[in-house]
Amino acid sequence: MYSVPNAESVINATDAQMLELRKQIDAAADQPTEDDILFDKLSRLDISLD
């Protein structure tokens, strides 16, 4: 098995970055997507052409 200098600090830094990305993803999950916004706008334009 190979020995990597400062392996523990590299792993800790990577874990911290991944946690930050996860927080950003979770925060963005509550926001509407571009498709949601477009569909909402299009549904407001839905009028009867009779």
Side-chain angles (χ1 to χ4, degrees):
M1 186 162 212
Y2 298 103
S3 176
V4 177
N6 301 322
E8 187 174 343
S9 65
V10 170
I11 291 170
N12 289 338
T14 303
D15 284 345
Q17 289 176 338
M18 291 182 69
L19 182 59
E20 181 59 33
L21 286 173
R22 185 70 208 164
K23 287 178 184 178
Q24 292 175 13
I25 290 169
D26 289 343
D30 295 335
Q31 309 247 339
T33 65
E34 289 182 22
D35 288 342
D36 293 335
I37 295 168
L38 179 61
F39 182 73
D40 184 50
K41 288 180 179 181
L42 288 173
S43 67
R44 292 180 197 173
L45 296 174
D46 189 19
I47 57 173
S48 177
L49 298 177
D50 293 348

